[in-house]
């Protein structure tokens, strides 16, 4: 991993097993794969949705539709957190009367999921919306809870959870590191330390 | 336009970083990366426009004022629709209905609009440099929707977007800009945009409608050094991927610089014969409004090579991307 203070929480095998378990739980809860649509949130929710769909397809012999959602235009904290690049939003099928499984990597304040639900509503009235996340790190600021969780990681707000996926990062694993916003640099005096 | 006495000190104009894009006055201060970002985001905006519910809440609670001191159909409507799809409140002020009719100066009108807490003011004005002047003296973001014959950046961006959507890229495409370049803000902003994106640009106009400092071409240290200049259309149009016809700006006296419209049309009008010299897949663009059968033949304007209606459609998406960029830059600013 990238630095000494970063702790490995899930390695690639554990990550794979977590995804397989989520796939099984989705099938169990929905009594099969009928009317399911998986929708990944950019960036890492998209490959996660693809992996979950692939697992479900291999179990059920289905070919689940997979969508992508960018929530930049729906954020309530647009003024403070707008990201300059808006990625593509694609829903391959009408979501009317479908069961939409939203997929994201880390669930934290819950605000992106609120925005994602607003975005989905603009596309139609789904039969239900369920939420699958790889990591739940707590600290919710809105009443949202996940339906499927890869791993619960108790964190403090000063810690950063990093999910790395082959498709995006050329690496696999979930890590926890102290203090987002503080990057560990080689200091000019040669000692390792925290700097802004 | 002289600065008023007692105006607060000059504010810095737009910087090079996207997240600090406060004003859009011309494309001269855009980096190629920033232009590409607007084009990429316009693609996402196009997707929003294709939905059955064409509305996203991104600019909810923001106020956009369009202040037009010159007639316009497309640009004003386009900015208005862009703002409304992004959920901003849009107020339109046009010359005939504003206090300008009573003799109020542009500065005082704009100050009042700012006092009503407009976040973004979209300005069109017959004087070149008027939007730069407003940007220096107001806190609101200024988007130039055409100032005299200086600049029309949103038009240039939508032209770039249209070229990119047709060919997949802009770099090394041969673009011929034909007609009244002297009075054309569209040509000037396109020169910046196209050269920054690596297109091969040729300007073609009768010598009387070519800016005097363009006529002999550009020196090696000029930002437009890659641009060639000619008055011979059949030479210019050879292998062109894009032909951009410009409107003959009759209201800016361009008529007085020509022997007759008929002769102009014969030598510089885009017709089937001249177009046959271009690349087979050539696209023909026009910023509108057209003088049909002057700078472009009806047959071409509505023919298979024409992308003129597409330009109008793309204009909304590109202006959404611009408004989004400027609003994002304003975060926590005031």
């Amino acid at each position: 991993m990238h630095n000494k203070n970063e702790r490995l929480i899930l390695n690639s095998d554990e990550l794979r097993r977590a995804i397989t378990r989520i796939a099984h739980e989705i099938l169990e809860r929905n009594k099969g794969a009928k009317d399911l649509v998986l929708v990944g949130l950019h960036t890492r929710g998209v490959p996660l949705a693809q992996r979950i769909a692939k697992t479900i397809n291999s179990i059920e012999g289905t070919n689940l539709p997979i969508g992508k959602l960018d929530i930049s235009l729906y954020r309530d904290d647009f003024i403070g957190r707008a990201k300059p690049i808006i990625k593509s939003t694609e829903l391959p099928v009408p979501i009317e009367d479908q069961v939409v499984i939203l997929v994201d990597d880390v669930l934290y304040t819950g605000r992106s999921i609120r925005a994602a639900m607003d975005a989905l509503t603009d596309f139609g009235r789904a039969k239900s919306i369920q939420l699958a996340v790889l990591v739940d790190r707590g600290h919710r600021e809105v009443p949202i809870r996940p339906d499927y969780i890869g791993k619960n990681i108790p964190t403090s707000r000063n810690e950063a959870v990093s999910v790395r996926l082959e498709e995006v990062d050329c690496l696999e694993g979930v890590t926890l590191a102290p203090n987002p916003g503080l990057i560990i640099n080689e200091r000019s005096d040669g000692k390792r330390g925290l700097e802004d | 336009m002289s600065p008023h006495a007692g105006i607060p000190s000059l504010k810095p104009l737009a910087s090079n970083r996207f997240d600090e894009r406060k004003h859009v006055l011309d494309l001269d201060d855009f980096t190629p990366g920033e232009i590409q970002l607007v084009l990429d985001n316009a693609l996402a905006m196009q997707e929003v426009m294709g939905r059955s519910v064409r509305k996203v809440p991104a600019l909810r609670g923001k106020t956009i004022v369009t202040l037009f001191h010159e007639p316009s159909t497309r640009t004003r409507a386009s900015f208005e629709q862009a703002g409304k799809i992004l959920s901003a409140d849009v107020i339109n002020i046009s010359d005939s209905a504003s206090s300008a009719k009573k003799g109020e100066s542009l500065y005082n009108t704009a100050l009042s609009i700012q006092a009503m807490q407009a976040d973004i003011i979209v300005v069109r004005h017959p004087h070149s440099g008027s939007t730069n002047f407003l940007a220096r003296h107001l806190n609101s973001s200024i988007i130039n929707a055409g100032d005299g014959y200086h600049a029309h950046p949103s038009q240039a961006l939508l032209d770039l977007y249209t070229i990119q959507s047709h060919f997949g890229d802009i770099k090394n495409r041969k673009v011929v800009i034909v007609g009244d370049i002297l009075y054309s803000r569209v040509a000037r902003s396109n020169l910046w945009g196209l050269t920054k994106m690596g297109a091969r640009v040729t300007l073609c106009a009768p010598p009387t409608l070519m800016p005097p400092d363009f006529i002999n071409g550009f020196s090696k240290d000029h930002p437009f050094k890659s641009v060639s200049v000619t008055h011979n259309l059949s030479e210019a149009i050879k292998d062109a991927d894009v032909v951009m016809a410009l409107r003959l700006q009759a209201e800016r006296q361009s008529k007085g610089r020509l022997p007759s419209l008929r002769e102009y049309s014969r030598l510089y009008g885009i017709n089937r014969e001249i177009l046959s010299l271009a690349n087979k897949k050539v696209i023909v663009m026009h910023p509108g409004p057209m003088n049909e059968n002057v700078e472009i033949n009806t047959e071409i304007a509505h023919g298979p090579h024409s992308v003129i209606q597409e330009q109008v459609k793309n204009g909304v998406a590109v202006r959404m991307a611009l408004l989004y960029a400027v609003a994002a830059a304003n975060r926590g600013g005031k």
Side-chain angles (χ1 to χ4, degrees):
Chain A
M1 287 295 138
H2 287 301
N3 70 58
K4 277 183 191 167
N5 294 42
E6 214 173 344
R7 215 150 37 85
L8 188 67
I9 305 287
L10 286 178
N11 64 27
S12 59
D13 283 332
E14 290 163 331
L15 205 153
R16 179 173 46 78
R17 285 181 205 120
I19 289 170
T20 309
R21 181 170 48 75
I22 290 175
H24 280 282
E25 284 176 6
I26 289 174
L27 286 173
E28 198 177 339
R29 161 89 77 96
N30 295 289
K31 301 187 170 63
K34 193 170 171 292
D35 295 337
L36 290 188
V37 181
L38 275 94
V39 176
L41 264 64
H42 280 293
T43 308
R44 289 176 186 75
V46 175
L48 280 174
Q50 284 160 348
R51 289 187 195 187
I52 294 171
K54 203 174 156 196
T55 312
I56 293 179
N57 290 342
S58 71
I59 300 167
E60 297 285 299
T62 48
N63 187 13
L64 288 187
I66 308 167
K68 302 171 184 178
L69 207 55
D70 183 285
I71 54 156
S72 310
L73 299 170
Y74 290 87
R75 297 199 72 100
D76 61 355
D77 53 355
F78 171 70
I79 302 306
R81 293 269 294 276
K83 286 189 187 146
I85 303 166
I86 310 167
K87 294 184 175 155
S88 64
T89 293
E90 292 163 27
L91 293 176
V93 292
I95 60 165
E96 208 70 27
D97 292 323
Q98 302 287 302
V99 176
V100 175
I101 317 263
L102 280 176
V103 184
D104 202 2
D105 55 353
V106 180
L107 180 61
Y108 185 24
T109 63
R111 288 178 192 269
S112 349
I113 302 302
R114 186 213 55 82
M117 288 194 288
D118 274 359
L120 268 186
T121 311
D122 279 355
F123 286 91
R125 187 176 186 277
K127 190 165 149 198
S128 69
I129 302 176
Q130 300 171 6
L131 174 61
V133 296
L134 184 60
V135 173
D136 182 357
R137 62 167 295 186
H139 303 288
R140 218 75 76 235
E141 290 169 6
V142 285
I144 278 171
R145 60 157 179 76
D147 301 279
Y148 314 100
I149 305 167
K151 188 168 178 66
N152 271 304
I153 306 180
T155 61
S156 93
R157 284 176 191 274
N158 292 330
E159 289 169 309
V161 176
S162 306
V163 172
R164 293 190 181 86
L165 300 171
E166 204 85 66
E167 297 91 324
V168 183
D169 311 283
C170 310
L171 260 178
E172 289 272 304
V174 177
T175 62
L176 188 64
N179 233 333
L182 290 180
I183 296 158
I184 294 154
N185 291 325
E186 287 292 334
R187 294 199 318 199
S188 48
D189 57 7
K191 291 175 190 161
R192 273 183 163 274
L194 290 172
E195 284 177 358
D196 251 314
Chain B
M1 202 169 292
S2 64
H4 296 227
I7 283 170
S9 61
L10 297 185
K11 295 173 181 65
L13 293 176
S15 94
N16 261 341
R17 286 187 47 205
F18 176 87
D19 54 359
E20 291 171 10
R21 170 59 57 188
K22 167 111 181 163
H23 307 293
V24 180
L25 304 174
D26 196 357
L27 294 189
D28 57 353
D29 63 351
F30 275 65
T31 60
E34 195 183 0
I35 291 175
Q36 194 57 56
L37 197 51
V38 173
L39 302 185
D40 290 350
N41 281 351
L43 191 67
M45 297 303 185
Q46 197 103 65
E47 181 272 316
V48 173
M49 288 173 65
R51 295 181 190 174
S52 55
V53 179
R54 279 189 292 274
K55 191 92 151 172
V56 290
L59 299 195
R60 214 159 44 120
K62 298 277 170 199
T63 301
I64 299 170
V65 174
T66 67
L67 176 61
F68 274 59
H69 281 277
E70 253 184 29
S72 159
T73 323
R74 268 160 294 271
T75 309
R76 198 200 53 72
S78 182
F79 269 113
E80 180 177 357
Q81 200 194 1
K84 284 182 170 167
I85 294 175
L86 293 172
S87 299
D89 295 307
V90 184
I91 299 169
N92 298 310
I93 301 175
S94 67
D95 201 17
S96 56
S98 78
S99 303
K101 268 273 180 280
K102 299 180 188 166
E104 190 180 43
S105 72
L106 173 66
Y107 178 67
N108 284 332
T109 308
L111 263 190
S112 310
I113 293 169
Q114 173 170 274
M116 289 178 234
Q117 296 192 303
D119 299 281
I120 300 173
I121 308 179
V122 180
V123 185
R124 167 166 292 188
H125 197 274
H127 290 178
S128 303
S130 47
T131 52
N132 293 58
F133 164 80
L134 288 178
R136 284 186 187 279
H137 297 295
L138 297 182
N139 289 317
S140 306
S141 281
I142 304 291
I143 296 183
N144 184 358
D147 61 332
Y149 48 83
H150 169 231
H152 194 349
S154 64
Q155 177 71 41
L157 286 167
L158 77 89
D159 289 341
L160 290 171
Y161 182 84
T162 307
I163 296 170
Q164 181 176 275
S165 72
H166 267 269
F167 295 106
D169 52 26
I170 299 167
K171 202 172 165 58
N172 291 329
R173 293 286 159 195
K174 181 173 177 183
V175 182
V176 184
I177 306 180
V178 191
D180 183 359
I181 290 162
L182 180 60
Y183 294 109
S184 176
R185 54 192 175 213
V186 175
R188 280 179 183 74
S189 283
N190 259 308
L191 269 176
W192 283 112
L194 288 165
T195 52
K196 279 172 193 272
M197 300 311 279
R200 294 178 294 136
V201 184
T202 302
L203 299 177
C204 181
T208 48
L209 288 180
M210 187 68 88
D213 51 334
F214 284 17
I215 282 183
N216 296 320
F218 300 97
S219 65
K220 275 188 178 145
D221 50 358
H222 196 283
F224 301 155
K225 59 178 184 280
S226 65
V227 175
S228 36
V229 177
T230 174
H231 58 264
N232 182 338
L233 183 56
S234 44
E235 195 179 286
I237 210 163
K238 214 168 274 172
D239 301 321
D241 298 302
V242 180
V243 174
M244 203 180 278
L246 297 173
R247 185 170 64 89
L248 198 61
Q249 308 250 337
E251 78 275 23
R252 298 188 220 282
Q253 283 93 42
S254 46
K255 266 186 187 162
R257 294 175 171 267
L258 297 168
S260 77
L261 281 185
R262 241 185 87 193
E263 186 191 291
Y264 177 77
S265 171
R266 194 165 51 80
L267 291 173
Y268 294 97
I270 307 299
N271 54 38
R272 196 200 307 196
E273 195 187 346
I274 197 81
L275 204 59
S276 67
L277 301 174
N279 180 342
K280 269 189 192 139
K281 290 184 174 168
V282 66
I283 57 171
V284 178
M285 305 171 75
H286 192 296
M290 285 184 278
N291 302 305
E292 271 185 36
N293 298 321
V294 179
E295 68 260 3
I296 186 166
N297 268 23
T298 302
E299 173 191 39
I300 301 300
H302 302 281
H305 293 285
S306 165
V307 295
I308 295 168
Q309 293 312 311
E310 241 171 273
Q311 285 175 275
V312 178
K313 189 176 167 219
N314 293 341
V316 180
V318 167
R319 288 176 176 118
M320 285 169 74
L322 263 188
L323 291 172
Y324 179 78
V326 169
N330 276 352
R331 54 193 169 179
K334 277 184 244 169

